Amino acid sequence: MNLDMKRDEFQELLSRTSDLVLRIYSNLEERKVYHGKTPAEVRELFKEALPEEPFDFQKLLHKVESDVLPHATFNISPHYYGYIMSGGTYAGIAAEFITAALNQNVGKWHIAAASTELEQLSIRWIAEFIGYPVDTGGVLVSGGSSANLVGIAAGVRARAPFELAEDGLRAGPPLTVYASVERHSCIDKAVRMLGLGHKNLRLIPVRDDFTIDVQELEKQIEKDRSNGFYPVCVIANGGSVNSGAVDSFPQLSAIAKKHHAWFHIDAAYGGPAAGTEIARDMFSGIELGDSVALDPHKWLSVPYEAGCVMVKDADALRNAFAISADYLRLDEGREGRLDFSEYSPQLSRNAKGLKVWMTLKMYGASALRQVIEKNIRNMRYLGELIDASGDFERLTPVPLSVVCFRYRTKDKQYHRNEEYLERLNKKLLEAIEQDGRVFVPGTLVRGKTALRACGINHRNEPRHVEYLLNVLREIGESIHF
Ligand SMILES: Cc1ncc(COP(=O)(O)O)c(C=O)c1O
């Protein structure tokens, strides 16, 4: 049994698939971003036993168009402001198509030569884009969670005062890791997965602008040292998930250095802004990070999945992940071959380099910078509209492209009624999802329920943020309880 089709049938499959893709993009702006269906309703559409017999591909594409597309969440739309998600690009779609066709496994150089070289080049270009040393080590991974895990794993291995990989954590003092209370939850996950113990992640308070309180960090490290803990890693936010806060890299680097700790920067979201005129100063000192996590699938608009971790000392990264096995090493020593499986937990890996390389090459760094600057300006504009509105209240500053705010009605008697505002905004979040014209999920800001809008979609323009606020107002005014 061979699963291939005849050439003309294959051509028909590809051309019908590309027609479908064109239809997705033909009316993006008019589409609802969210379908409003329940899990049971969506599940019902796909309920069937494992098929034993083949199914005609035209009918299959029809099924995709009628049942999958309407129940996708349209994060590619300019009306989408959820989490930190880009809209992808046409270059990315083409690259994913070619990547699937070639089906490379980028675990070892000799099974994916060009893809390995493109991955190395992409990492160098990302480093150059943000002002990090271009001779850095690094690897492309699934996203920010993996990039942070890999960077922290390399750091902990490099700076633990004992042979961690051989002897395990019990061979020395408890290792402590430092980050602000505003760190992304994947830092907690990484600390747990590495077996360091969640209690040994010290969460340092933040100042009014949501950046880490450096004095509190120093105090905590001194306290830990005098109690027999070993500070192994300091983590900075390079654009925090809730408010875009960027910690002071020079200050955190100096503290880490003083204690011989690893300095890791989580710039999964904000990193690319370091390459722009409008935000560069906030990111000064990014080159001081021993490792930096940055997601091409966020602000470089590369399609999912594409995360990147850069580790200045490539050997530190390799030491954490290279492992010997007879079947992997027989081509060892052949000149200049780099096997990416030695730089992250994965052995088999898809070819992420092609889509990062094609994105950077097709659009050029200048266009990508312009998108980031436009996004920052648009979301600051949204902040201004909120401030001028009277019926909305902004809860966070807008250093990058995320703004947290809440609805409070035009009626001033409610503006200080916290209990009412909590109920109102919880109801509003449900109603926004049900309405589906825009997508804005929630968060807590200093304990208050907030709408959290993040704009990193290159299709987002000032008219879209004006529309956003009008839609939210209309939904807000329709809530009665
Ligand atoms: C600052 C930060 N770090 C890490 C992550 C996790 O990235 P991913 O969802 O790609 O795993 C995010 C996601 O939004 C983030 O904003």
Side-chain angles (χ1 to χ4, degrees):
M1 180 70 191
N2 175 323
L3 300 176
D4 286 341
M5 299 161 146
K6 291 200 188 85
R7 193 182 188 284
D8 54 342
E9 279 178 322
F10 184 34
Q11 196 161 18
E12 179 79 7
L13 171 68
L14 297 182
S15 108
R16 283 183 183 264
T17 306
S18 55
D19 287 348
L20 185 148
V21 171
L22 287 171
R23 283 198 292 281
I24 293 176
Y25 282 85
S26 65
N27 61 347
L28 208 49
E29 221 169 308
E30 290 75 47
R31 265 181 195 272
K32 278 204 168 189
V33 188
Y34 192 71
H35 45 78
K37 297 269 171 60
T38 65
E41 285 168 324
V42 179
R43 200 174 304 131
E44 190 61 31
L45 298 167
F46 305 108
K47 212 160 110 186
E48 65 172 320
L50 171 70
E52 204 55 56
E53 298 304 323
F55 190 68
D56 176 68
F57 78 77
Q58 298 202 24
K59 287 192 194 145
L60 189 55
L61 286 181
H62 184 72
K63 171 90 179 151
V64 170
E65 188 146 14
S66 64
D67 293 348
V68 178
L69 300 191
H71 304 103
T73 300
F74 274 78
N75 52 288
I76 53 180
S77 156
H79 300 306
Y80 181 91
Y81 298 88
Y83 306 96
I84 297 177
M85 293 171 65
S86 82
T89 64
Y90 295 162
I93 295 169
E96 286 285 44
F97 187 27
I98 300 166
T99 300
L102 275 177
N103 195 25
Q104 295 284 278
N105 177 346
V106 198
K108 281 180 67 64
W109 191 92
H110 73 169
I111 51 174
S115 298
T116 304
E117 295 302 327
L118 284 181
E119 182 161 342
Q120 291 182 76
L121 179 62
S122 302
I123 294 165
R124 277 204 298 279
W125 280 358
I126 291 170
E128 189 177 341
F129 193 96
I130 66 166
Y132 197 66
V134 289
D135 58 351
T136 181
V139 62
L140 297 182
V141 291
S142 58
S145 304
S146 301
N148 283 307
L149 171 67
V150 169
I152 296 166
V156 171
R157 170 81 206 276
R159 297 298 161 88
F162 49 90
E163 247 316 314
L164 178 62
E166 290 307 311
D167 301 332
L169 280 167
R170 294 184 67 182
L175 306 175
T176 41
V177 174
Y178 301 80
S180 90
V181 290
E182 292 291 309
R183 87 285 170 212
H184 190 273
S185 60
C186 72
I187 301 296
D188 305 51
K189 242 193 212 180
V191 166
R192 286 188 191 188
M193 280 192 281
L194 293 171
L196 298 170
H198 205 186
K199 281 191 197 151
N200 294 325
L201 171 62
R202 305 290 197 238
L203 295 178
I204 309 300
V206 289
R207 296 179 292 208
D208 287 349
D209 63 357
F210 297 94
T211 61
I212 193 165
D213 186 324
V214 176
Q215 280 167 354
E216 288 298 320
L217 171 66
E218 284 196 286
K219 266 198 244 162
Q220 183 65 50
I221 291 182
E222 293 298 349
K223 187 172 151 201
D224 286 336
R225 286 186 63 138
S226 58
N227 286 331
F229 292 93
Y230 191 93
V232 76
C233 181
V234 174
I235 300 170
N237 268 323
S240 67
V241 59
N242 241 9
S243 66
V246 182
D247 292 332
S248 163
F249 303 149
Q251 284 181 311
L252 266 59
S253 161
I255 294 170
K257 248 199 189 95
K258 182 171 155 197
H259 298 283
H260 196 61
W262 186 266
F263 178 41
H264 174 77
I265 301 176
D266 176 7
Y269 158 38
T276 67
E277 205 59 40
I278 194 170
R280 181 168 295 134
D281 288 352
M282 275 186 271
F283 288 84
S284 81
I286 197 163
E287 71 285 357
L288 299 170
D290 292 305
S291 51
V292 176
L294 180 153
D295 276 350
H297 72 199
K298 293 191 170 71
W299 230 344
L300 291 178
S301 297
V302 173
Y304 289 103
E305 299 171 346
C308 174
V309 60
M310 289 162 277
V311 181
K312 225 187 264 173
D313 173 4
D315 289 341
L317 179 58
R318 193 170 177 279
N319 286 344
F321 295 104
I323 201 116
S324 191
D326 298 342
Y327 44 85
L328 294 176
R329 284 290 166 85
L330 283 182
D331 67 326
E332 206 170 45
R334 294 194 206 164
E335 202 185 330
R337 293 184 176 194
L338 182 141
D339 293 342
F340 267 115
S341 57
E342 300 189 335
Y343 292 82
S344 87
Q346 281 181 275
L347 175 54
S348 295
R349 318 166 57 247
N350 70 352
K352 296 184 171 71
L354 186 82
K355 60 185 173 180
V356 179
W357 173 73
M358 274 182 68
T359 303
L360 289 164
K361 192 151 172 66
M362 189 160 141
Y363 301 112
S366 159
L368 296 170
R369 273 189 218 107
Q370 284 173 42
V371 166
I372 295 165
E373 297 199 337
K374 176 179 78 170
N375 290 148
I376 294 175
R377 277 195 299 272
N378 280 352
M379 297 313 281
R380 288 183 182 168
Y381 176 48
L382 176 61
E384 286 161 19
L385 293 176
I386 292 165
D387 290 347
S389 71
D391 52 352
F392 288 93
E393 177 189 14
R394 187 165 55 82
L395 298 176
T396 55
V398 199
L400 295 178
S401 66
V402 56
V403 54
C404 294
F405 57 109
R406 62 181 176 176
Y407 180 59
R408 55 182 185 178
T409 79
K410 287 199 179 72
D411 191 338
K412 285 200 172 130
Q413 68 164 314
Y414 294 123
H415 290 192
R416 291 182 182 279
N417 186 338
E418 283 301 324
E419 196 231 337
Y420 176 83
L421 293 177
E422 274 304 297
R423 274 199 296 151
L424 177 64
N425 282 277
K426 283 188 176 130
K427 281 224 174 295
L428 179 59
L429 283 167
E430 277 174 35
I432 295 167
E433 196 180 279
Q434 209 50 40
D435 177 89
R437 279 177 289 171
V438 296
F439 194 92
V440 184
T443 187
L444 293 180
V445 175
R446 298 203 164 98
K448 294 174 182 169
T449 298
L451 315 184
R452 181 188 166 285
C454 179
I456 59 165
N457 187 319
H458 62 91
R459 302 181 181 101
N460 188 263
E461 300 292 343
R463 70 174 189 281
H464 296 118
V465 299
E466 288 163 5
Y467 175 78
L468 168 69
L469 214 59
N470 289 338
V471 169
L472 295 180
R473 175 171 294 121
E474 190 190 309
I475 301 171
E477 283 171 355
S478 72
I479 294 174
H480 302 287
F481 54 84

